Amino acid sequence: MAIRQLRYIGDPILRKRSKEVEEINDRIKTLLDDMVETMYENEGVGLAAPQVGVLRRVIVIDIGEGPIKLINPEIIFEEGEFIDSEGCLSIPDKAGTVKRPEKVRVKYLDENGEEKIIEGTGLLSKALCHEIDHLDGILFIDKMIEEIDTEEDEE
Ligand code: ZN
């Protein structure tokens, strides 16, 4: 595994639409492993492939319950809404409130190519929506309701 270089706001790759994965080969598996390692190194709860410069529909998430690797994730159901604070590894030192569904169901392929469905509420729902948005070039600042002063949080 290797830590990959993060892409930051202003990099045009973050605004592009990622392509579906058609074949889960060793390159994709290495990408997933590297993304997990890069996420941990940067203390994130999720990471999308464009954030490491790869325009493929691949995300990883760990909300403290172990890593989940999702290929071609797609939201198939959502319910309710809640507003919570968000940040992004690609947008350092910025945080803000965003409205997300309280519950989502996401269809995806695991690294063995098996179709799976994950249901997330609260933090997991937020993470899934945030990372899937990255695959369509959408950043949380596009949906931000109110910016949170991050310096104040550190006092
Ligand atoms: Zn992000």
Side-chain angles (χ1 to χ4, degrees):
M1 291 207 282
I3 291 161
R4 300 216 184 182
Q5 175 63 49
L6 283 177
R7 302 299 185 100
Y8 295 104
I9 182 104
D11 189 322
I13 207 160
L14 292 174
R15 290 307 194 173
K16 294 191 172 144
R17 186 184 181 277
S18 294
K19 291 196 193 93
E20 270 77 22
V21 173
E22 274 160 22
E23 187 200 348
I24 302 167
N25 52 26
D26 287 346
R27 261 183 90 174
I28 292 293
K29 289 179 187 178
T30 302
L31 171 66
L32 282 161
D33 288 342
D34 289 355
M35 283 170 62
V36 169
E37 196 173 344
T38 306
M39 171 177 70
Y40 289 150
E41 173 70 17
N42 293 282
E43 295 173 4
V45 297
L47 195 67
Q51 292 183 276
V52 293
V54 179
L55 287 172
R56 287 287 166 182
R57 300 188 83 80
V58 166
I59 63 173
V60 296
I61 286 175
D62 189 344
I63 58 159
E65 298 170 354
I68 315 165
K69 301 166 181 176
L70 303 95
I71 299 164
N72 298 340
E74 194 186 322
I75 295 171
I76 53 169
F77 171 83
E78 54 179 81
E79 187 179 76
E81 53 186 46
F82 80 119
I83 294 170
D84 200 5
S85 63
E86 285 187 28
C88 180
L89 292 179
S90 294
I91 313 172
D93 304 322
K94 198 164 181 124
T97 51
V98 180
K99 183 158 73 182
R100 299 289 189 185
E102 170 62 30
K103 184 199 268 188
V104 286
R105 219 169 278 148
V106 172
K107 186 176 82 172
Y108 68 100
L109 297 175
D110 70 10
E111 57 189 329
N112 302 312
E114 264 178 67
E115 194 173 294
K116 296 209 166 160
I117 289 171
I118 186 170
E119 192 171 272
T121 55
L123 179 57
L124 183 53
S125 172
K126 176 171 82 169
L128 286 163
C129 294
H130 179 116
E131 301 310 333
I132 291 170
D133 270 355
H134 271 298
L135 304 180
D136 293 315
I138 299 165
L139 302 173
F140 85 91
I141 49 171
D142 304 340
K143 298 180 168 181
M144 191 166 69
I145 298 166
E146 198 176 8
E147 188 168 347
I148 297 165
D149 190 340
T150 48
E151 276 175 54
E152 211 170 88
D153 284 349
E154 283 160 15
E155 278 171 20

Short mmCIF file of all heavy atoms in Angstrom, two decimals, residues 88-125:
data_model
loop_
_atom_site.label_atom_id
_atom_site.label_comp_id
_atom_site.label_asym_id
_atom_site.label_seq_id
_atom_site.Cartn_x
_atom_site.Cartn_y
_atom_site.Cartn_z
N CYS A 88 -13.61 18.65 4.51
CA CYS A 88 -13.16 17.83 3.39
C CYS A 88 -11.63 17.88 3.35
O CYS A 88 -11.04 18.95 3.49
CB CYS A 88 -13.74 18.39 2.10
SG CYS A 88 -13.25 17.48 0.62
N LEU A 89 -11.01 16.72 3.15
CA LEU A 89 -9.55 16.68 3.10
C LEU A 89 -9.00 17.53 1.95
O LEU A 89 -7.86 17.99 2.01
CB LEU A 89 -9.06 15.23 2.95
CG LEU A 89 -9.29 14.32 4.16
CD1 LEU A 89 -8.77 12.92 3.86
CD2 LEU A 89 -8.64 14.87 5.42
N SER A 90 -9.82 17.76 0.92
CA SER A 90 -9.37 18.56 -0.22
C SER A 90 -9.58 20.06 -0.01
O SER A 90 -9.18 20.86 -0.85
CB SER A 90 -10.10 18.12 -1.49
OG SER A 90 -9.72 16.80 -1.83
N ILE A 91 -10.25 20.40 1.09
CA ILE A 91 -10.50 21.82 1.38
C ILE A 91 -10.06 22.08 2.82
O ILE A 91 -10.87 22.15 3.74
CB ILE A 91 -12.00 22.18 1.19
CG1 ILE A 91 -12.52 21.63 -0.14
CG2 ILE A 91 -12.20 23.69 1.27
CD1 ILE A 91 -14.02 21.77 -0.34
N PRO A 92 -8.75 22.19 3.03
CA PRO A 92 -8.23 22.32 4.40
C PRO A 92 -8.75 23.58 5.10
O PRO A 92 -8.98 24.60 4.45
CB PRO A 92 -6.72 22.42 4.20
CG PRO A 92 -6.45 21.94 2.82
CD PRO A 92 -7.69 22.22 2.03
N ASP A 93 -8.91 23.47 6.38
CA ASP A 93 -9.25 24.61 7.24
C ASP A 93 -10.59 25.25 6.89
O ASP A 93 -10.79 26.44 7.12
CB ASP A 93 -8.15 25.69 7.20
CG ASP A 93 -6.80 25.11 7.60
OD1 ASP A 93 -6.77 24.27 8.51
OD2 ASP A 93 -5.79 25.48 6.97
N LYS A 94 -11.49 24.46 6.33
CA LYS A 94 -12.81 25.00 6.07
C LYS A 94 -13.85 23.99 6.54
O LYS A 94 -13.70 22.79 6.34
CB LYS A 94 -12.99 25.27 4.57
CG LYS A 94 -14.14 26.21 4.28
CD LYS A 94 -14.06 26.76 2.86
CE LYS A 94 -15.18 27.71 2.60
NZ LYS A 94 -14.77 29.03 2.17
N ALA A 95 -14.88 24.51 7.20
CA ALA A 95 -15.97 23.64 7.65
C ALA A 95 -17.27 24.42 7.54
O ALA A 95 -17.27 25.66 7.54
CB ALA A 95 -15.74 23.20 9.09
N GLY A 96 -18.35 23.69 7.40
CA GLY A 96 -19.64 24.35 7.30
C GLY A 96 -20.77 23.36 7.45
O GLY A 96 -20.55 22.14 7.41
N THR A 97 -21.96 23.90 7.63
CA THR A 97 -23.12 23.02 7.78
C THR A 97 -23.72 22.69 6.42
O THR A 97 -23.76 23.53 5.52
CB THR A 97 -24.20 23.68 8.66
OG1 THR A 97 -24.46 24.99 8.17
CG2 THR A 97 -23.75 23.76 10.11
N VAL A 98 -24.15 21.44 6.30
CA VAL A 98 -24.75 20.95 5.05
C VAL A 98 -25.97 20.10 5.41
O VAL A 98 -25.96 19.40 6.42
CB VAL A 98 -23.74 20.07 4.27
CG1 VAL A 98 -24.35 19.57 2.97
CG2 VAL A 98 -22.45 20.85 3.97
N LYS A 99 -27.00 20.20 4.57
CA LYS A 99 -28.19 19.37 4.78
C LYS A 99 -28.04 18.08 3.99
O LYS A 99 -27.75 18.11 2.80
CB LYS A 99 -29.44 20.13 4.32
CG LYS A 99 -30.73 19.35 4.58
CD LYS A 99 -31.93 20.27 4.64
CE LYS A 99 -32.31 20.79 3.26
NZ LYS A 99 -33.46 21.73 3.33
N ARG A 100 -28.22 16.95 4.67
CA ARG A 100 -28.11 15.63 4.04
C ARG A 100 -29.32 14.80 4.43
O ARG A 100 -29.96 15.06 5.44
CB ARG A 100 -26.85 14.91 4.54
CG ARG A 100 -25.53 15.60 4.25
CD ARG A 100 -25.18 15.56 2.78
NE ARG A 100 -23.81 16.05 2.56
CZ ARG A 100 -23.30 16.21 1.35
NH1 ARG A 100 -24.00 15.94 0.27
NH2 ARG A 100 -22.06 16.67 1.21
N PRO A 101 -29.59 13.72 3.67
CA PRO A 101 -30.65 12.82 4.10
C PRO A 101 -30.29 12.14 5.42
O PRO A 101 -29.12 11.81 5.64
CB PRO A 101 -30.73 11.77 2.99
CG PRO A 101 -29.85 12.24 1.90
CD PRO A 101 -28.96 13.31 2.41
N GLU A 102 -31.27 11.94 6.28
CA GLU A 102 -31.04 11.26 7.56
C GLU A 102 -30.66 9.79 7.32
O GLU A 102 -29.85 9.22 8.03
CB GLU A 102 -32.33 11.36 8.40
CG GLU A 102 -32.37 10.51 9.66
CD GLU A 102 -31.30 10.86 10.67
OE1 GLU A 102 -30.91 12.04 10.72
OE2 GLU A 102 -30.87 9.96 11.41
N LYS A 103 -31.25 9.23 6.26
CA LYS A 103 -30.97 7.82 5.96
C LYS A 103 -30.81 7.65 4.45
O LYS A 103 -31.57 8.23 3.68
CB LYS A 103 -32.15 6.97 6.46
CG LYS A 103 -31.92 5.47 6.29
CD LYS A 103 -33.24 4.70 6.34
CE LYS A 103 -33.58 4.25 7.74
NZ LYS A 103 -34.77 3.34 7.74
N VAL A 104 -29.81 6.87 4.06
CA VAL A 104 -29.66 6.52 2.63
C VAL A 104 -29.40 5.02 2.48
O VAL A 104 -28.90 4.36 3.40
CB VAL A 104 -28.47 7.25 1.94
CG1 VAL A 104 -28.76 8.70 1.69
CG2 VAL A 104 -27.17 7.06 2.69
N ARG A 105 -29.75 4.55 1.33
CA ARG A 105 -29.39 3.19 0.96
C ARG A 105 -28.56 3.31 -0.32
O ARG A 105 -28.96 4.01 -1.26
CB ARG A 105 -30.67 2.38 0.71
CG ARG A 105 -30.61 0.96 1.21
CD ARG A 105 -31.99 0.32 1.17
NE ARG A 105 -32.80 0.67 2.33
CZ ARG A 105 -34.13 0.79 2.32
NH1 ARG A 105 -34.81 0.61 1.20
NH2 ARG A 105 -34.78 1.09 3.42
N VAL A 106 -27.41 2.67 -0.33
CA VAL A 106 -26.47 2.80 -1.45
C VAL A 106 -26.14 1.42 -2.01
O VAL A 106 -25.79 0.50 -1.27
CB VAL A 106 -25.17 3.51 -1.00
CG1 VAL A 106 -24.11 3.48 -2.09
CG2 VAL A 106 -25.46 4.94 -0.58
N LYS A 107 -26.30 1.30 -3.30
CA LYS A 107 -25.94 0.07 -4.01
C LYS A 107 -24.51 0.22 -4.52
O LYS A 107 -24.14 1.28 -5.01
CB LYS A 107 -26.92 -0.09 -5.19
CG LYS A 107 -26.82 -1.38 -5.95
CD LYS A 107 -27.90 -1.43 -7.00
CE LYS A 107 -27.46 -0.66 -8.26
NZ LYS A 107 -28.36 -0.81 -9.39
N TYR A 108 -23.71 -0.83 -4.40
CA TYR A 108 -22.32 -0.74 -4.88
C TYR A 108 -21.77 -2.13 -5.14
O TYR A 108 -22.41 -3.15 -4.82
CB TYR A 108 -21.45 -0.02 -3.83
CG TYR A 108 -21.24 -0.78 -2.54
CD1 TYR A 108 -20.06 -1.48 -2.30
CD2 TYR A 108 -22.23 -0.79 -1.54
CE1 TYR A 108 -19.87 -2.18 -1.11
CE2 TYR A 108 -22.03 -1.49 -0.36
CZ TYR A 108 -20.85 -2.18 -0.14
OH TYR A 108 -20.66 -2.87 1.02
N LEU A 109 -20.59 -2.18 -5.71
CA LEU A 109 -19.86 -3.44 -5.86
C LEU A 109 -18.73 -3.45 -4.84
O LEU A 109 -18.07 -2.43 -4.65
CB LEU A 109 -19.27 -3.55 -7.27
CG LEU A 109 -20.25 -3.58 -8.44
CD1 LEU A 109 -19.48 -3.58 -9.77
CD2 LEU A 109 -21.16 -4.80 -8.37
N ASP A 110 -18.53 -4.61 -4.20
CA ASP A 110 -17.36 -4.70 -3.34
C ASP A 110 -16.15 -5.10 -4.19
O ASP A 110 -16.27 -5.27 -5.41
CB ASP A 110 -17.61 -5.67 -2.16
CG ASP A 110 -17.68 -7.13 -2.59
OD1 ASP A 110 -17.37 -7.44 -3.76
OD2 ASP A 110 -18.06 -7.97 -1.75
N GLU A 111 -14.98 -5.26 -3.56
CA GLU A 111 -13.78 -5.48 -4.37
C GLU A 111 -13.75 -6.85 -5.03
O GLU A 111 -12.89 -7.12 -5.88
CB GLU A 111 -12.50 -5.20 -3.57
CG GLU A 111 -12.36 -6.01 -2.32
CD GLU A 111 -11.19 -5.51 -1.47
OE1 GLU A 111 -10.21 -5.02 -2.02
OE2 GLU A 111 -11.29 -5.64 -0.24
N ASN A 112 -14.68 -7.73 -4.66
CA ASN A 112 -14.81 -9.02 -5.36
C ASN A 112 -15.85 -8.97 -6.46
O ASN A 112 -16.17 -10.00 -7.07
CB ASN A 112 -15.17 -10.11 -4.35
CG ASN A 112 -14.14 -10.23 -3.25
OD1 ASN A 112 -12.94 -10.27 -3.52
ND2 ASN A 112 -14.57 -10.25 -2.01
N GLY A 113 -16.40 -7.78 -6.69
CA GLY A 113 -17.39 -7.63 -7.76
C GLY A 113 -18.80 -8.05 -7.37
O GLY A 113 -19.68 -8.15 -8.22
N GLU A 114 -19.00 -8.28 -6.08
CA GLU A 114 -20.33 -8.66 -5.61
C GLU A 114 -21.17 -7.42 -5.37
O GLU A 114 -20.71 -6.46 -4.74
CB GLU A 114 -20.22 -9.44 -4.30
CG GLU A 114 -20.25 -10.94 -4.49
CD GLU A 114 -20.09 -11.66 -3.17
OE1 GLU A 114 -21.00 -11.56 -2.34
OE2 GLU A 114 -19.04 -12.29 -2.99
N GLU A 115 -22.42 -7.47 -5.83
CA GLU A 115 -23.31 -6.33 -5.61
C GLU A 115 -23.81 -6.34 -4.17
O GLU A 115 -24.27 -7.35 -3.67
CB GLU A 115 -24.49 -6.38 -6.58
CG GLU A 115 -25.22 -5.06 -6.61
CD GLU A 115 -26.32 -5.01 -7.67
OE1 GLU A 115 -26.00 -5.05 -8.87
OE2 GLU A 115 -27.49 -4.95 -7.28
N LYS A 116 -23.69 -5.19 -3.52
CA LYS A 116 -24.09 -5.08 -2.12
C LYS A 116 -24.92 -3.82 -1.93
O LYS A 116 -24.88 -2.91 -2.76
CB LYS A 116 -22.86 -5.02 -1.22
CG LYS A 116 -22.04 -6.28 -1.27
CD LYS A 116 -21.30 -6.52 0.02
CE LYS A 116 -20.78 -7.94 0.06
NZ LYS A 116 -19.68 -8.09 1.03
N ILE A 117 -25.62 -3.81 -0.81
CA ILE A 117 -26.38 -2.61 -0.43
C ILE A 117 -26.00 -2.26 0.99
O ILE A 117 -25.98 -3.13 1.87
CB ILE A 117 -27.90 -2.85 -0.57
CG1 ILE A 117 -28.28 -2.93 -2.06
CG2 ILE A 117 -28.68 -1.74 0.12
CD1 ILE A 117 -29.70 -3.36 -2.33
N ILE A 118 -25.68 -1.00 1.21
CA ILE A 118 -25.38 -0.53 2.56
C ILE A 118 -26.41 0.53 2.93
O ILE A 118 -26.78 1.35 2.09
CB ILE A 118 -23.93 0.02 2.66
CG1 ILE A 118 -23.59 0.37 4.10
CG2 ILE A 118 -23.69 1.19 1.74
CD1 ILE A 118 -22.11 0.69 4.33
N GLU A 119 -26.87 0.46 4.18
CA GLU A 119 -27.79 1.48 4.66
C GLU A 119 -27.06 2.29 5.71
O GLU A 119 -26.41 1.73 6.59
CB GLU A 119 -29.03 0.81 5.27
CG GLU A 119 -30.14 1.79 5.52
CD GLU A 119 -31.44 1.08 5.91
OE1 GLU A 119 -32.21 0.72 5.01
OE2 GLU A 119 -31.66 0.89 7.12
N GLY A 120 -27.15 3.59 5.59
CA GLY A 120 -26.47 4.46 6.55
C GLY A 120 -27.41 5.50 7.10
O GLY A 120 -28.22 6.06 6.37
N THR A 121 -27.28 5.75 8.40
CA THR A 121 -28.01 6.86 9.00
C THR A 121 -27.00 7.80 9.64
O THR A 121 -25.88 7.40 9.98
CB THR A 121 -29.01 6.38 10.09
OG1 THR A 121 -28.29 5.60 11.05
CG2 THR A 121 -30.11 5.52 9.50
N GLY A 122 -27.40 9.05 9.80
CA GLY A 122 -26.57 10.03 10.49
C GLY A 122 -25.20 10.18 9.85
O GLY A 122 -25.09 10.44 8.65
N LEU A 123 -24.15 9.95 10.65
CA LEU A 123 -22.77 10.15 10.18
C LEU A 123 -22.45 9.32 8.93
O LEU A 123 -21.79 9.82 8.01
CB LEU A 123 -21.80 9.78 11.32
CG LEU A 123 -20.30 9.90 11.02
CD1 LEU A 123 -19.92 11.30 10.57
CD2 LEU A 123 -19.48 9.50 12.24
N LEU A 124 -22.92 8.09 8.89
CA LEU A 124 -22.63 7.26 7.71
C LEU A 124 -23.36 7.77 6.48
O LEU A 124 -22.81 7.80 5.38
CB LEU A 124 -22.99 5.79 7.99
CG LEU A 124 -22.66 4.79 6.88
CD1 LEU A 124 -21.21 4.87 6.43
CD2 LEU A 124 -23.01 3.36 7.31
N SER A 125 -24.59 8.21 6.65
CA SER A 125 -25.35 8.79 5.54
C SER A 125 -24.61 10.03 5.00
O SER A 125 -24.42 10.19 3.79
CB SER A 125 -26.76 9.18 6.01
OG SER A 125 -27.42 9.91 5.01
#
